[in-house]
Amino acid sequence: MTLTEPTPLTGAVDPTETAALTGTKSLTGPGDSLSCPACQPLSPCPQPHVGAVWKPSPDVTVERFPQGFARRLPVRQILCLLPLALVAVVAVQHRSVLAEGFGHLASAKWPWLLAAVAATCLTWVAAAVTRQGALVERLPKRRLLATQFAAGAANHLLPTGLGASAVNLRFMTVCGVPLARSSAALALYLLAESIARVGLLLALLIAFPDALRVGALLPDGAVGPLLLVVGAVVCVAVTVLLLVRRVRTVVFTFLRTALGEARSVHTRPARALALWGGSLSFPMFQAAGLAAVGQALGLPVPPLHMALAYLAATVAVALVPTPGGIGSVEAALILALVAAGGPVAVATAVVLAYRIITVWLPLLPGALTLGALVRLKMI
């Protein structure tokens, strides 16, 4: 018996031929329809007419969820009013300080107070110049200056540095700067400002070594524990950086971006001049404002010594997480002015008047500006 390969079918197969080959009877005949139920095609499901809806049962009550509820929630209006509410809370908490500070301003020499106000206004200009110097892209000047004014209010309502950093980060993002590069520009700004502040402090300490008793700024026996805390924090940060791969990747990526941004900025002389010139001008205007208030209230301390006291106090409280340094800055400034040779009562009056001019007077207009920028979607 010889086995042969089956011949491939090249055309349509006739059911009759298939039945003859397989020895079965065809289920269909000529002109007949399919008689087997399994072979019949499925009947299509009836589809509802276009626009038809299912009617609910009479016993069921249909309640529709209001569409666009999230859109009707006034999120931006709430954000606009939030700074004003925070201003009211902070003012109520420090109402005694405000009353005493305004009392001292009433007996001060007004020309010197106007000089202090002018120096305070120039700090916002210096901050705007520094922010532009830390970024290659050109930012809109007026909006940048308004943002620095609003960031000052946010900085006094949130822990030190966080409010201003958040406002400026959002402003750069709205201006089209990628988040990585805006974060790098923010870090470069903070680094340049810190270097300039510490550099000015060291320069004044070298020029006037006997102007300030630095040991008087710290309580007895506080240097050792402070160094231990700083060392412990550094060790924990290094350990986490070495052991956690995800943190290490994020940190190294950010450092590469920041170094690239710093190189790009310093290849442009105008940007580098704005960065370092603004960083030096910012603490100088702040110290000049304190010296002007000291002259207005007759503090018997030379202006350069008052500037030295201001820089030392602000560097000492830089790591204290209080909103705008409220409380900690006052205490440190009073200690610094007393260490510079000023009487306690007059030094306290100078510090309270200075904080009224630099913090409390611009706080309400700054909060209004912040709310306006939020409402106009500029931040």
Side-chain angles (χ1 to χ4, degrees), residues 128 132 138-147 171:
Q132 179 60 83
R138 183 178 294 277
L139 299 173
K141 296 180 181 180
R142 295 180 180 178
R143 289 168 55 188
L144 178 60
L145 184 59
T147 302
F171 170 68

Side-chain angles (χ1 to χ4, degrees), residues 52-346:
V53 294
W54 296 102
K55 297 182 179 180
S57 174
D59 299 333
V60 178
T61 303
V62 179
E63 294 185 2
R64 297 181 180 275
F65 187 79
Q67 297 181 357
F69 177 75
R71 294 181 180 179
R72 291 201 298 268
L73 185 64
V75 178
R76 287 200 170 269
Q77 286 78 359
I78 294 174
L79 292 177
C80 292
L81 297 176
L82 183 60
L84 299 179
L86 292 177
V87 169
V89 171
V90 175
V92 170
Q93 291 178 347
H94 300 83
R95 56 186 179 275
S96 60
V97 176
L98 289 173
E100 189 175 356
F102 277 110
H104 292 303
L105 286 177
S107 60
K109 299 176 182 178
W110 286 100
W112 286 109
L113 291 182
L114 292 177
V117 172
T120 302
C121 295
L122 289 175
T123 58
W124 302 318
V125 178
V129 172
T130 310
R131 299 282 184 186
Q132 179 60 83
L135 190 66
V136 176
E137 285 84 351
R138 183 178 294 277
L139 299 173
K141 296 180 181 180
R142 295 180 180 178
R143 289 168 55 188
L144 178 60
L145 184 59
T147 302
Q148 302 318 302
F149 183 54
N155 204 40
H156 295 311
L157 299 174
L158 296 175
T160 304
L162 294 182
S165 299
V167 170
N168 281 283
L169 190 63
R170 178 61 183 169
F171 170 68
M172 288 185 286
T173 303
V174 171
C175 289
V177 182
L179 181 59
R181 299 190 60 243
S182 58
S183 302
L186 181 62
L188 181 59
Y189 168 84
L190 295 175
L191 179 62
E193 202 274 334
S194 301
I195 292 175
R197 187 178 295 270
V198 175
L200 283 175
L201 174 60
L202 294 177
L204 289 177
L205 284 175
I206 293 173
F208 307 99
D210 300 329
L212 187 67
R213 298 189 301 272
V214 181
L217 296 177
L218 296 175
D220 295 336
V223 178
L226 181 61
L227 293 178
L228 288 177
V229 171
V230 172
V233 171
V234 172
C235 291
V236 170
V238 172
T239 303
V240 172
L241 185 63
L242 293 177
L243 296 181
V244 183
R245 182 178 179 181
R246 181 172 297 179
V247 174
R248 186 170 63 251
T249 302
V250 171
V251 171
F252 287 164
T253 302
F254 174 76
L255 288 178
R256 284 195 297 269
T257 305
L259 290 176
E261 188 69 20
R263 285 195 297 268
S264 300
V265 166
H266 286 86
T267 55
R268 302 189 176 191
R271 291 290 187 270
L273 180 62
L275 175 64
W276 294 106
S279 299
L280 287 171
S281 301
F282 185 72
M284 288 175 61
F285 287 135
Q286 288 180 325
L290 179 63
V293 175
Q295 294 295 317
L297 293 176
L299 182 66
V301 177
L304 288 178
H305 292 190
M306 280 190 278
L308 176 58
Y310 173 81
L311 293 173
T314 52
V315 170
V317 301
L319 299 178
V320 178
T322 57
I326 295 176
S328 59
V329 171
E330 284 85 349
L333 282 175
I334 292 172
L335 286 175
L337 292 177
V338 171
V344 178
V346 183

Side-chain angles (χ1 to χ4, degrees), residues 7-61:
T7 304
L9 301 176
T10 58
V13 179
D14 188 357
T16 307
E17 296 178 359
T18 304
L21 292 174
T22 58
T24 59
K25 294 183 178 180
S26 174
L27 296 176
T28 59
D32 293 338
S33 61
L34 294 173
S35 60
C36 177
C39 298
Q40 294 180 358
L42 297 176
S43 60
C45 296
Q47 299 295 329
H49 297 289
V50 177
V53 294
W54 296 102
K55 297 182 179 180
S57 174
D59 299 333
V60 178
T61 303

